[in-house]
Amino acid sequence: MGEGEGKTVVVTGANGFIASWLVKFLLERGYTVRGSVRNPDDTAKVGHLLEFPGAKERLTLHKADLLTAGAYDEIVQGVDGIFHTASPFFLKGITDPEGQFLTPAVKGTLNVLQSAAKADSVKRVVLTSSAASATYNRSRNGRDVTADESWWSDADFCKERKLWYQMSKTLAEKAAWDFVKDKHFDLVVINPAMVVGPFLQNSLNTSTEFILEMLNGTMKEYPNISLGYVHVKDTAVAHVLAFETPAAEGRYILAKQVLHCEKLVEILKKIAPGCSVPSKMSGTGSKVPTYNLNCGKAEKLGITFTSVEDSIAECIECLKQRGFLEVVH
C-alpha cells in the first residue's frame, strides 16, 4: 500500500487549494484521513474530495469551526498526526484585519494545537505557515539579500504597512512554536511562497485568482512586488515528507524562484499570448528589488522544485479546462 497504511491523520481546511492535493496524496499513500471543513454537507465545496481514489474507504469529513475552543478535540482523538492548513488568505475586501486575519490565524492555530495536546496518540503536527512569516522585515532591503529559515517577519513592520496576511502568519507561527515547547508531540512548519499550479477544488483560491486576473483583462496594471513561487504539488509533497521523515524539524521554506511581477508578466505573455496581460506597472515609484530564498533545507528533505514556467503553465491549462479562462485561438 504505502507509508500511511494503518495510520490516521487529520487535515484541517481539507477542501483548500494545498489541502486538497495533500488529502489526495495521503489517500494514495494509504492513510486514513479525517478532513475538517466548515460544512461537510456542502457538496459544491467538498465534493471533489469524495471523488479521490480511496476516499470512500478512508476519508471522513468533519464539521469544525477554527474559532471554537475544543472544536477539534473529538476529531483528533486517536490520530497519529495533524496537518493544520486552515488559515485565511485573500487580497480583497479587507475591512477588519483583526477579525478577518489575525484572530482566525492565531486562535485557530492554538485551538488545533490545544486539541492535539489532549490526544496522547498525536506524534507530530505539520503546520502550513508561509514564506510571508520570514521575509517581511527591514533586513530585506536589497537585491543581494538571501532569506532562509532563520529569518522572521517583523509584526510591527507588517502592521505599519498594513500587510495583514503576512502579520497573521507570523503571529500564528510564533504562537505555535511557543505552545509546543513542552508538549508530547513535535511541530514541523512548512513555509511556502506564492503557491501556483492546477487546482482540484471547485472555486478559485486567492493565488490562482491573482494569475487569472493578470490574464483576463481584470488587472490593468501589474503590482510593483517581488514574490517567490512554488508549485502546489511540491508544497503538498513537502507536507507529507515533513510528517514521514523522522529527522524533519523546524521550518522549511519552499520556493523555486523569486520574481518581480514584471518577469511574471513576461512568462504569462509567452505562455498565453492571446490573453490580456497588463504591460504597465502600477504606481510611480522605482521597481522594488528582488531577493533570494535559500531552499536548500527543503531540497535535503527530498523536494525537487518544479520550474515557475511549468507551474504557471499548469495553472493556466487548469483555468482553461475548468472554464475560468476563455481559450483564445
Side-chain angles (χ1 to χ4, degrees):
M1 172 69 80
E3 182 75 24
E5 187 172 10
K7 295 178 182 175
T8 301
V9 294
V10 168
V11 178
T12 71
N15 58 327
F17 181 36
I18 298 170
S20 292
W21 280 106
L22 176 57
V23 170
K24 185 175 188 295
F25 290 161
L26 289 168
L27 289 171
E28 287 174 359
R29 293 178 71 77
Y31 287 90
T32 295
V33 181
R34 300 177 190 173
S36 76
V37 293
R38 289 179 182 175
N39 183 1
D41 298 321
D42 188 346
T43 53
K45 291 187 176 179
V46 305
H48 64 285
L49 300 173
L50 303 174
E51 296 173 4
F52 294 155
K56 186 176 180 181
E57 298 80 17
R58 290 178 282 107
L59 173 66
T60 53
L61 298 180
H62 306 260
K63 181 180 178 66
D65 180 359
L66 267 180
L67 300 184
T68 301
Y72 294 88
D73 285 1
E74 187 175 336
I75 300 170
V76 305
Q77 282 299 317
V79 306
D80 298 279
I82 301 168
F83 296 88
H84 179 43
T85 77
S87 190
F89 174 39
F90 52 91
L91 302 173
K92 302 173 185 175
I94 302 171
T95 56
D96 175 17
E98 185 73 40
Q100 291 173 298
F101 278 114
L102 305 180
T103 297
V106 177
K107 187 175 180 181
T109 296
L110 289 176
N111 277 344
V112 172
L113 292 176
Q114 284 161 358
S115 293
K118 299 173 187 175
D120 293 339
S121 60
V122 174
K123 300 173 183 67
R124 176 169 288 178
V125 174
V126 178
L127 171 67
T128 311
S129 185
S130 171
S133 69
T135 55
Y136 288 83
N137 55 48
R138 290 176 178 82
S139 298
R140 202 193 84 191
N141 56 9
R143 199 174 298 275
D144 298 326
V145 170
T146 299
D148 60 19
E149 285 82 4
S150 69
W151 277 48
W152 280 95
S153 294
D154 183 328
D156 291 334
F157 177 87
C158 293
K159 188 174 183 179
E160 286 171 14
R161 287 158 177 76
K162 295 182 170 56
L163 301 170
W164 305 117
Y165 170 71
Q166 292 86 337
M167 184 176 175
S168 75
K169 299 304 283 188
T170 304
L171 294 176
E173 189 185 338
K174 285 190 170 183
W177 284 118
D178 286 341
F179 182 86
V180 301
K181 284 177 181 175
D182 59 349
K183 300 301 183 287
H184 66 272
F185 58 88
D186 61 8
L187 177 70
V188 182
V189 176
I190 304 299
N191 301 79
M194 185 79 151
V195 182
V196 292
F199 53 100
L200 298 170
Q201 76 282 3
N202 294 317
S203 57
L204 288 177
N205 54 287
T206 297
S207 57
T208 305
E209 187 176 26
F210 176 75
I211 299 297
L212 176 61
E213 291 186 351
M214 292 189 74
L215 293 166
N216 64 9
T218 300
M219 191 183 297
K220 305 303 180 187
E221 299 176 337
Y222 60 85
N224 183 15
I225 54 174
S226 292
L227 294 170
Y229 292 88
V230 62
H231 197 292
V232 64
K233 292 185 188 178
D234 299 345
T235 306
V237 168
H239 283 72
V240 176
L241 289 174
F243 182 72
E244 292 182 351
T245 307
E249 52 79 33
R251 314 166 84 198
Y252 289 89
I253 289 180
L254 306 181
K256 173 59 180 176
Q257 192 177 358
V258 177
L259 302 175
H260 189 278
C261 252
E262 182 180 68
K263 179 62 177 176
L264 177 61
V265 162
E266 292 177 16
I267 293 173
L268 292 173
K269 287 182 176 179
K270 181 180 178 181
I271 297 173
C275 291
S276 303
V277 181
S279 297
K280 182 184 177 184
M281 185 175 75
S282 62
T284 56
S286 57
K287 190 172 79 170
V288 303
T290 54
Y291 54 97
N292 302 299
L293 287 170
N294 183 344
C295 297
K297 190 180 176 191
E299 289 171 342
K300 288 178 182 176
L301 184 66
I303 300 301
T304 302
F305 288 105
T306 308
S307 72
V308 176
E309 289 80 1
D310 287 347
S311 302
I312 296 295
E314 288 184 40
C315 176
I316 292 173
E317 184 59 32
C318 185
L319 284 166
K320 289 177 178 178
Q321 289 180 358
R322 302 286 290 276
F324 288 95
L325 182 64
E326 184 178 348
V327 180
V328 180
H329 298 288

